[in-house]
Amino acid sequence: MKKVIVIGGGISGLATAWLLRDKARTAGVELDLALLEKDERVGGKIWSIKADGYTCEWGPNGFLDSKPQTLELCSAIGVDGNLHRSNDNARKRFIFSGGELHQLPENGASFLKSRLISWPGKLRLALEPTPFIAKAPQGVDETLAAFGRRRLGEEALDKLIAPMVSGIFAGDPETMSLVSCFPRIAELEREYGGLVRAMIMLARKKKKERAAGKAVSSAAGPGGVLTSFREGIQYLTDALAASLGDVVKPASPVAAVAKGQSVPYRVRCADGSEREADVVIVAAPAFATAEMLTGLDAGLSGVLRQIPYATMTVICFGYERDRISHPLDGFGYLVPKKEGRSILGTLWDSSMFENRAPEGKVLLRSMMGGACFPEYVKLSDDEVTARVKRDLKDTMGIGVDPSFVRIFRHEQAIPQYTAGHGKRLEALGAGLAAHPGLILTGNSYRGIGLNDCVAAAQRASDEALGLL
């Protein structure tokens, strides 16, 4: 019987353990499997907190249904019947600029009518498909800011790209790597020579595929419908943990991973107990993984420590619906850094998922901090509340006090794929080659979203099964 230890009980560790056990059963491989989680609760940053009739997401609020991995996992564990897709409001997204909310254009006509981008900015964007735009630099890990200026212009960078980067990664486009954060966009530029040309060519390809009755290929954007569960996204991690049963060992913080004697690895817990393993899969954040592997391989730990994390403060405000004049008919909005606001943006959670607030009330969830404002995580509750109230009044005209407030702080919230991230991944791959049976997975490496974590879990479980 092969011994496998998974370290970390977030979505990455839970999905990896479940998938590995399922694949091992199919292959006829007997496993002695344990998942070690440092906290009393599992789920990591997935945590749906219920209070006073509200459902507040501590971390992510769902996943896009445009990729198959998470949907397939939901089907496999039998929770696909409980999926709850966001309503049509979620399709409308806004940017706060120049003192007003602008809906993001959905087509060429709405783009021309929109006041979000000035006419000089629109003319600069119109140059994108022309030969006047510089080609991507060779041998350089181009930042998102450099890419935006080169292809789209300074205004589009400030009002479109930068808010998107802060909304997804809580990141700074001046430091984030294009190819690591949005590999598909880099691929489209290489393949088609530009983004507009790529969109035109892909649209033609889709039209031909539809005419031929084929499955339609995906385009550059994320697409899909935001999907969760009526109980909140924690329903998924709870279901995985329940299915794994006593495989999951909560309150078992790992201190170190070391070479073993009779088996390849020894995992030492903080209480001094040890476990042996043929395969160790570490699904913890990069900074925590670095600490565990220091004694095993200082070089690997050094590379892992080079992956920075952004802070984040999540603020949930509940209001009586009849005291809010704004229609709240959308996903929410993002705020460009140049607007000088405290918040990165606000999601209209109860507009996307109507059961997130009690009858007659609404739930707004704002984000503060990120890579550009790391110090905000240290602000007091009173200061955070005052800043969010001020910003909501200026952006949405909300002049009343919330009747419900919850504030969640993340000191190390989201890994930052800064320039050089690809080289760091190469160094990790080279280092891991010296340690067969040691596997790293999670959102520190090749995608931060829930879909990315499940896709990485698929790869990790396949790699582990191959070793076993």
Side-chain angles (χ1 to χ4, degrees):
M1 183 177 291
K2 298 294 186 179
K3 296 180 179 180
V4 178
I5 292 176
V6 177
I7 302 173
I11 181 61
S12 297
L14 290 166
T16 300
W18 195 94
L19 291 164
L20 177 57
R21 186 183 65 175
D22 185 61
K23 292 172 183 178
R25 285 174 175 170
T26 302
V29 177
E30 289 191 49
L31 288 185
D32 178 358
L33 177 64
L35 185 152
L36 307 181
E37 164 55 39
K38 68 181 178 68
D39 293 327
E40 288 283 354
R41 62 169 289 274
V42 297
K45 289 188 172 65
I46 290 180
W47 192 1
S48 306
I49 297 171
K50 299 181 186 299
D52 299 344
Y54 292 93
T55 300
C56 302
E57 297 291 6
W58 193 69
N61 64 346
F63 62 94
L64 293 174
D65 68 355
S66 53
K67 293 182 179 180
Q69 292 91 347
T70 307
L71 291 174
E72 289 171 355
L73 179 63
C74 290
S75 177
I77 64 176
V79 299
D80 50 326
N82 298 76
L83 288 170
H84 186 201
R85 285 171 170 81
S86 58
N87 57 44
D88 283 343
N89 281 326
R91 299 177 63 87
K92 296 168 66 176
R93 304 182 181 217
F94 297 82
I95 298 290
F96 180 78
S97 178
E100 62 179 310
L101 291 173
H102 302 264
Q103 184 177 346
L104 280 172
E106 296 182 355
N107 52 49
S110 61
F111 171 74
L112 290 174
K113 293 178 183 177
S114 172
R115 297 196 307 273
L116 174 60
I117 303 293
S118 68
W119 278 107
K122 290 173 182 175
L123 290 173
R124 173 61 181 84
L125 278 166
L127 291 174
E128 196 277 336
T130 70
F132 301 106
I133 300 300
K135 294 183 179 179
Q138 298 298 308
V140 175
D141 191 358
E142 189 175 29
T143 67
L144 284 163
F147 169 83
R149 291 190 184 98
R150 177 173 60 82
R151 290 227 68 94
L152 306 173
E154 193 75 35
E155 188 176 358
L157 168 62
D158 291 340
K159 295 181 179 180
L160 298 175
I161 295 177
M164 176 182 65
V165 174
S166 69
I168 297 173
F169 292 91
D172 182 354
E174 300 291 349
T175 64
M176 302 293 277
S177 162
L178 168 69
V179 72
S180 294
C181 295
F182 300 106
R184 178 61 173 153
I185 291 178
E187 179 187 356
L188 289 175
E189 183 182 16
R190 287 194 302 270
E191 186 174 349
Y192 295 98
L195 302 186
V196 172
R197 187 175 292 110
M199 291 170 65
I200 293 170
M201 297 301 291
L202 288 171
R204 290 175 181 171
K205 183 179 179 182
K206 279 187 177 184
K207 189 174 181 180
K208 289 180 180 178
E209 288 172 347
R210 286 195 182 99
K214 296 180 180 178
V216 177
S217 58
S218 62
V225 176
L226 182 65
T227 302
S228 182
F229 299 86
R230 291 195 176 275
E231 300 83 350
I233 193 62
Q234 183 184 328
Y235 187 82
L236 175 57
T237 50
D238 284 351
L240 285 166
S243 180
L244 287 166
D246 60 8
V247 165
V248 179
K249 314 293 182 186
S252 301
V254 171
V257 178
K259 286 293 185 185
Q261 307 248 340
S262 57
V263 294
Y265 295 100
R266 286 184 298 110
V267 175
R268 188 175 76 252
C269 292
D271 63 3
S273 62
E274 291 190 350
R275 292 173 177 267
E276 295 181 330
D278 297 287
V279 172
V280 174
I281 304 171
V282 186
F287 56 87
T289 304
E291 294 301 314
M292 297 176 203
L293 301 184
T294 298
L296 177 70
D297 191 318
L300 273 177
S301 292
V303 176
L304 287 164
R305 289 191 181 96
Q306 293 173 24
I307 300 175
Y309 276 66
T311 67
M312 179 65 72
T313 302
V314 178
I315 308 98
C316 294
F317 277 6
Y319 296 90
E320 285 70 28
R321 181 66 185 93
D322 59 11
R323 302 191 72 189
I324 306 296
S325 60
H326 194 282
L328 299 175
D329 55 343
F331 182 90
Y333 63 93
L334 295 170
V335 183
K337 181 180 178 182
K338 289 193 173 182
E339 291 296 314
R341 304 291 165 176
S342 294
I343 61 173
L344 302 175
T346 297
L347 304 183
W348 304 333
D349 274 14
S350 56
S351 294
M352 294 181 281
F353 298 108
E354 61 278 356
N355 62 318
R356 297 296 162 91
E359 185 73 25
K361 298 186 179 182
V362 296
L363 178 66
L364 308 182
R365 189 161 60 113
S366 301
M367 277 69 64
M368 178 184 287
C372 293
F373 306 100
E375 68 278 9
Y376 285 4
V377 78
K378 303 293 186 183
L379 296 176
S380 69
D381 283 1
D382 287 346
E383 180 67 16
V384 168
T385 300
R387 289 187 181 216
V388 175
K389 285 170 57 179
R390 185 165 57 245
D391 282 357
L392 292 184
K393 182 176 182 179
D394 292 342
T395 58
M396 298 174 61
I398 299 176
V400 298
D401 289 337
S403 56
F404 173 86
V405 176
R406 289 294 185 277
I407 298 172
F408 312 123
R409 290 177 175 80
H410 302 268
E411 293 274 358
Q412 294 168 302
I414 302 175
Q416 302 293 285
Y417 299 169
T418 56
H421 187 74
K423 292 292 185 183
R424 289 188 281 276
L425 295 185
E426 290 177 9
L428 288 175
L432 287 169
H435 304 285
L438 177 63
I439 300 169
L440 305 186
T441 191
N443 72 349
S444 299
Y445 311 109
R446 292 181 171 85
I448 66 162
L450 202 154
N451 280 328
D452 299 312
C453 291
V454 176
Q458 287 280 10
R459 295 192 296 270
S461 58
D462 284 341
E463 183 181 350
L465 188 64
L467 292 167
L468 298 169

